[in-house]
């Protein structure tokens, strides 16, 4: 029985999401190296293994250790190397096929001096998102980094990695594909510049919107989407998925009903959902979308019923009167989170519709 | 040695904050029932005990259990009762002096039928924040709730509780005091209406901005501030405290430096800081304020150096060129969080400046 805020995981939807992306990678002839930062769970990892996945991406060395413990042997830590963690890096490099991400000669020089076991190295390039990475047009700087890598005994240069996080600003298929086409065009040019000197250079891309929507992966060798395993409200607004594909929802107890202002107060606040918000199609900022209760799972998104405000433990649901009056204290209301990666990170475990508890890295 | 994002706690500042508020309560003749939702730590709780605190507030039954284990005997759960947790409520009511918060006859009736041990009961009233609670001017509804409480064998009516969360929209002393004066004026009226029939009725107020700034607590019997134990950037912007009073800061490894756009990329993202933001005095939305490094602790806020963007594990610091050029990968940068309650909740532990690890409820 659910008595406190609980993150529900619909295993069937989740497995369909995994199969969909694994199939697409296979058909497109690209390596599928899914990012495990969203679920961070041994058990969910096994569902990927059942779809033939044998290499993965994570965003911290702690996650790499966690998945190495579950037998994953080929792990890319797709985060600019934090050189302060050199001891953990050496432990991992000595026990699995570890790949690292770099974006400066400074870090490569540090690794050249301090790595005690072999590691693959990707160079992070910025194809337009401007979070981090070397600008792809700065081939001089990129050359210096690649030379520093290939000049080192322990490091093997793998290729160029980028994350088209700018796809998160896209709305709808056309805009997502525009981001994707720009990424693959620029990645292809970059590869062209290096392929003669480094014939095995690969291009690794991956964000959920473009990987969900695009079908053309020419010049791409590897994809690393992560969020698609669950999807969320933000992805439905971007246009990466339909609400039916979203595999997680929060179940929250109702603690107060305020019909005079069309609000329900739930036990479920920023310590449960996180404080991630998104503007819906009408421009309204929301923290979650209310869904129909449907047995152990959930159904459609309820029109105009949203998680409108959050404090530490309280959430305020705004909804039409006809919906509000269905609830009293002690009922459960189900809400699709805006950003499943972060909600899952703060909730720290899942409960399947069959009532099974699934743990994740704490 | 700090190698990953770490939440630093300056014990001396924290103890000063506790002493300041305990002294103010004593001088004002009000009961000090601090909210422990910010630190949620046995050890920090002891620092309160050393200042004479023997009754506390929490926001979940789980927190109540955690502090009951550490010997706290008088605990108010200041969150509208989640009746689904009746088993935990009965366990707690049977072992400590438990107080509950209600705002509907429906919930009171449920408790009347299901409580197996005595519990104190506060009625939640809304003095202007409009998150939840009964409108204080709806004395008819309030009377019905109070009668339902006093008509029950197990429940003892304590008084009226409110949280002036609207003080968070205030900027500066004058605006904070305006919120406070409105709260105490309305609380006094309410008390006036009930004191004849229920002579022991108390008024319990408490939010960090008003408790930090106000000196007049006439008609208030109890205060419950919580955040003041650490304070944070938001409180400095509201005007509740000075930056010198903020007792926590994140220490984050630098992983990339982008002088061409005055940015530093840190290991420290929304899974570390949470996604809470605030508009600074210039209207710019920030996720943290960079502070000067200062031995094991930190110094002043660096002008125009802010945590400007967050993704899951990455943070982007924007700062003036003279500051940016001081950093290289592997350095540590220190950042005051926007909202310490939530940052502490996602970080799950503290490290004092003496290097001691302080755990909290996970």
């Amino acid at each position: 029985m659910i008595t406190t805020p609980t993150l529900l995981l619909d295993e069937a939807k989740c497995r369909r999401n995994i199969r969909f992306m694994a199939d697409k990678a296979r058909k497109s002839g690209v390596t599928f190296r899914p990012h495990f930062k969203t679920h961070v769970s041994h058990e969910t990892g096994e569902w990927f293994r059942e779809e033939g996945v044998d290499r993965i991406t994570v965003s911290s060395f702690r996650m790499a250790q966690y998945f190495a413990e579950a037998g994953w042997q080929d792990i890319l830590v797709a985060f600019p190397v934090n050189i302060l963690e050199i001891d953990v890096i050496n432990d991992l490099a000595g026990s699995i096929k570890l790949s690292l991400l770099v974006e400066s000669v400074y870090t490569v020089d540090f690794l050249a001096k301090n790595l005690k076991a072999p590691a693959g190295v990707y160079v992070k390039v910025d194809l337009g998102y401007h979070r981090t990475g070397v600008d792809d047009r700065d081939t001089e700087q990129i050359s210096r980094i690649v030379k520093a890598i290939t000049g080192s005994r322990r490091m093997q240069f793998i290729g160029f990695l980028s994350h088209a996080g700018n796809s998160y600003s896209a709305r709808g298929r056309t805009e997502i594909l525009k981001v994707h086409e720009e990424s693959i065009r620029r990645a292809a040019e970059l590869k062209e510049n290096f392929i003669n000197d480094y014939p095995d250079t690969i291009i690794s891309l991956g964000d959920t919107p473009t990987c969900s929507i695009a079908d053309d992966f020419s010049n791409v060798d590897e994809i690393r989407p992560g969020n698609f395993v669950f999807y969320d409200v933000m992805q439905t607004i971007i246009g990466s998925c339909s609400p039916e594909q979203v595999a997680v929802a929060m179940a929250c107890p109702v603690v107060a009903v305020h019909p005079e202002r069309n609000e329900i107060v739930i036990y479920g606040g920023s310590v449960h959902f996180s404080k991630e918000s998104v503007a819906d199609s009408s421009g309204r900022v929301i923290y979650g979308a209310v869904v129909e209760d449907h047995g152990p799972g959930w159904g459609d998104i309820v029109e105009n019923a949203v998680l409108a405000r959050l404090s530490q433990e309280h959430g305020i649901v705004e909804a039409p009167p006809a919906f509000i009056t269905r609830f009293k204290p002690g009922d459960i209301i189900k809400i699709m989170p805006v950003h499943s990666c972060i909600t899952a990170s703060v909730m720290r475990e899942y409960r399947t519709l069959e009532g099974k508890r699934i743990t994740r890295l704490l």
Side-chain angles (χ1 to χ4, degrees), chain A:
Chain A
M1 187 188 154
I2 291 170
T3 61
T4 56
T6 301
L7 183 54
L8 301 176
L9 170 56
D10 185 323
E11 180 174 339
K13 286 180 185 169
C14 182
R15 284 180 178 270
R16 270 199 294 278
N17 293 341
I18 296 169
R19 189 165 314 129
F20 163 78
M21 200 62 85
D23 280 349
K24 179 180 265 201
R26 247 187 310 269
K27 281 180 203 146
S28 310
V30 298
T31 299
F32 185 35
R33 187 189 278 282
H35 207 310
F36 274 19
K37 76 186 168 77
T38 303
H39 61 84
V40 205
S41 159
H42 284 166
E43 179 140 1
T44 313
E46 293 311 308
W47 304 347
F48 280 87
R49 232 193 291 251
E50 291 173 27
E51 294 299 330
V53 171
D54 62 0
R55 60 198 82 180
I56 65 172
T57 307
V58 296
S59 51
S60 71
F61 293 109
R62 210 167 144 250
M63 280 186 209
Q65 287 174 306
Y66 172 79
F67 284 110
E69 281 161 21
W72 294 91
Q73 285 291 316
D74 185 340
I75 304 180
L76 157 65
V77 182
F79 187 85
V81 169
N82 170 21
I83 61 176
L84 297 173
E85 290 184 274
I86 187 66
D87 293 344
V88 184
I89 295 170
N90 278 324
D91 282 351
L92 280 162
S95 59
I96 61 162
K97 184 170 182 316
L98 178 71
S99 295
L100 302 171
L101 183 60
V102 301
E103 56 171 279
S104 71
V105 171
Y106 184 91
T107 296
V108 174
D109 285 348
F110 177 92
L111 292 172
K113 283 195 199 88
N114 294 283
L115 262 184
K116 292 183 179 150
V121 180
Y122 290 69
V123 176
K124 172 90 177 205
V125 293
D126 177 4
L127 301 176
Y129 179 33
H130 306 318
R131 178 172 66 181
T132 193
V134 188
D135 191 300
D136 59 314
R137 291 154 300 195
D138 189 354
T139 45
E140 207 177 305
Q141 176 65 5
I142 295 173
S143 286
R144 273 198 293 270
I145 297 172
V146 173
K147 279 201 187 103
I149 295 168
T150 54
S152 150
R153 195 162 54 95
R154 302 266 195 229
M155 282 181 270
Q156 185 204 349
F157 172 58
I158 307 281
F160 300 111
L161 179 148
S162 194
H163 171 68
N166 39 333
S167 67
Y168 279 70
S169 317
R171 290 295 177 268
R173 194 179 175 81
T174 312
E175 286 183 32
I176 294 170
L177 288 177
K178 204 176 145 202
V179 170
H180 181 64
E181 281 151 19
E182 170 80 359
S183 292
I184 60 173
R185 185 186 61 70
R186 286 169 67 166
E189 273 181 37
L190 182 65
K191 192 172 177 177
E192 188 64 28
N193 279 324
F194 285 85
I195 203 80
N196 283 338
D197 291 337
Y198 308 99
D200 297 328
T201 301
I202 75 157
I203 296 290
S204 174
L205 298 181
D207 57 286
T208 282
T210 67
C211 290
S212 298
I213 296 303
D215 286 310
D216 175 10
F217 291 90
S218 0
N219 287 302
V220 177
D221 301 284
E222 179 176 275
I223 59 170
R224 311 178 323 277
N227 173 281
F228 76 95
V229 65
F230 295 157
Y231 287 121
D232 50 32
V233 171
M234 197 183 287
Q235 296 295 341
T236 69
I237 290 173
I238 293 169
S240 316
C241 68
S242 70
E244 293 72 39
Q245 288 171 277
V246 179
V248 287
M250 291 285 288
C252 295
V254 169
V255 294
V257 182
H258 294 284
E260 73 285 3
R261 52 177 188 255
N262 294 322
E263 287 179 357
I264 291 172
V265 183
I266 60 166
Y267 179 17
S270 54
V271 297
H272 306 102
F273 282 89
S274 92
K275 201 69 185 266
E276 194 100 38
S277 62
V278 68
D280 70 9
S281 53
S282 68
R284 177 185 196 181
V285 172
I286 64 170
Y287 296 90
V290 176
V291 287
E292 289 289 354
D293 202 352
H294 192 72
W298 61 91
D300 290 340
I301 288 179
V302 181
E303 213 172 334
N304 293 319
V306 301
L307 185 56
R309 303 194 301 281
L310 286 177
S311 38
Q312 186 163 344
E313 309 266 353
H314 300 74
I316 308 292
V317 168
E318 291 181 8
F323 185 79
I324 297 285
T325 51
R326 283 160 49 188
F327 289 88
K328 57 182 190 322
D331 288 344
I332 292 286
I333 190 164
K334 293 177 181 169
I335 300 174
M336 223 174 245
V338 162
H339 189 174
S340 59
C341 307
I342 312 295
T343 300
S345 167
V346 295
M347 286 301 297
R348 302 164 206 176
E349 65 174 43
Y350 313 97
R351 181 190 163 108
T352 68
L353 306 193
E354 295 73 37
K356 189 172 64 174
R357 184 169 163 254
I358 294 187
T359 59
R360 48 176 278 154
L361 174 63
L362 285 180

